[in-house]
Amino acid sequence: MLQVTPVPAFADNYIWLIHSPRDRRKVVAVDPGDAAPVHRALADQSLQLSGILLTHHHNDHVGGVASLLQQHSVPVFGPASERIPGNPKLMREGDHSWFDELDLDFRVLDIPGHTAGHIAYTGHEAVFCGDTLFSAGCGRLFEGTAEQMVGSLAKLASLPDETQIYCGHEYTIANLRFSLAVEPENRAAREYLDECQAKRSRHEATVPSNIRRERNVNPFLRCDRKSVIRAAEARAGRGLNSTEVFAVIREWKDGFKS
Ligand SMILES: [Zn+2]
């Protein structure tokens, strides 16, 4: 399995360092929103930056690129339809970001919704999905529609069950409190909340998650379940189709205080 080191940044971001299976000291950084913690992690662990993958244009995901490129001349990959610093190679659905000398190869998925051109990178039984799918949640709809986000989440959910999900933020506990507001009887979500609270009390990351778990605890991947439909319809006060179920719980979450 892929070796990946989390680098915490800002209040709750994760920058991921993907280690080459051929030489674990060589790493590819995913969404380096801040350069300082990456420089520190490279120095502390004697690692060599060998590439950068970017999922979307928000500054907390790309803000460190220019500074990293001043010290490391490495290839940068980013979404084809967004304005991104660092002159990245432009990637869209089906393209591959590969690093020959690292034995790393990722296939690109278009996953619009949070931003209009958001992409994910999948390979080696992992997916790096930025701010689209979180553990027990999903990104806010800043530039896309509910319909686009539903399609993007379905695309991610169709990856193999054991695919490790590396998302951009540590939001799991707040997300699970919302999951339980939508589905109070969801035992898997309750048990997962206990597990995540124990991890956070030890200052450990709750992510990566995996697709199998998310299907059980993430209300945004459960819009076809009776319990989620019932909760959304009760909130809306009318019958809803599946995209409307998603839109209602997304809006509910936007105003939810955990
Ligand atoms: Zn974002």
Side-chain angles (χ1 to χ4, degrees):
M1 197 190 284
L2 206 57
Q3 188 189 351
V4 183
T5 298
V7 177
F10 309 115
D12 49 33
N13 282 70
Y14 287 121
I15 299 162
W16 299 105
L17 299 181
I18 308 171
H19 297 261
S20 162
R22 189 188 292 187
D23 177 354
R24 68 159 305 282
R25 290 166 304 169
K26 293 185 176 166
V27 293
V28 172
V30 183
D31 285 355
D34 189 5
V38 177
H39 286 307
R40 246 188 336 266
L42 296 173
D44 288 353
Q45 300 172 49
S46 306
L47 302 174
Q48 181 192 329
L49 187 69
S50 301
I52 295 174
L53 298 177
L54 304 170
T55 62
H56 68 294
H57 69 86
H58 285 160
N59 201 52
D60 64 322
H61 293 252
V62 303
V65 171
S67 163
L68 289 171
L69 289 178
Q70 277 171 11
Q71 294 192 24
H72 309 270
S73 174
V74 299
V76 182
F77 297 86
S81 61
E82 297 196 348
R83 288 171 63 88
I84 301 272
N87 193 24
K89 293 186 181 128
L90 301 179
M91 309 303 283
R92 45 174 66 85
E93 178 101 11
D95 289 343
H96 283 253
S97 312
W98 67 77
F99 303 90
D100 263 348
E101 73 288 7
L102 304 180
D103 283 344
L104 286 172
D105 178 9
F106 297 98
R107 182 167 54 89
V108 171
L109 305 173
D110 283 333
I111 50 167
H114 176 68
T115 63
H118 200 304
I119 59 174
Y121 300 87
T122 186
H124 309 271
E125 298 181 309
V127 64
F128 297 85
C129 54
D131 289 354
T132 298
L133 175 63
F134 295 121
S135 189
C138 76
R140 285 177 189 255
L141 300 176
F142 284 125
E143 297 171 12
T145 63
E147 202 164 5
Q148 284 178 320
M149 191 56 129
V150 166
S152 297
L153 293 174
K155 199 181 280 184
L156 293 169
S158 72
L159 293 169
D161 280 358
E162 300 313 321
T163 306
Q164 301 287 297
I165 302 167
Y166 292 92
C167 54
H169 290 271
E170 177 63 64
Y171 288 160
T172 315
I173 287 177
N175 285 345
L176 283 167
R177 293 204 174 106
F178 177 71
S179 301
L180 289 165
V182 177
E183 291 187 279
E185 309 296 325
N186 185 332
R187 252 185 57 196
R190 200 164 291 281
E191 286 168 13
Y192 185 39
L193 177 58
D194 290 343
E195 201 181 302
C196 290
Q197 281 172 327
K199 277 191 178 163
R200 292 309 290 155
S201 70
R202 300 191 297 266
H203 307 286
E204 289 171 19
T206 62
V207 283
S209 182
N210 62 60
I211 298 291
R212 182 197 307 278
R213 160 166 281 154
E214 292 307 312
R215 279 213 208 89
N216 290 325
V217 304
N218 192 325
F220 298 101
L221 299 187
R222 296 168 61 78
C223 292
D224 57 345
R225 302 297 180 114
K226 279 203 183 93
S227 48
V228 176
I229 296 169
R230 248 195 331 262
E233 290 186 341
R235 196 166 169 87
R238 63 186 177 91
L240 302 170
N241 69 34
S242 63
T243 304
E244 291 171 330
V245 169
F246 172 85
V248 165
I249 60 172
R250 184 56 266 178
E251 223 176 279
W252 180 1
K253 173 73 167 68
D254 288 345
F256 185 77
K257 302 266 181 287
S258 62

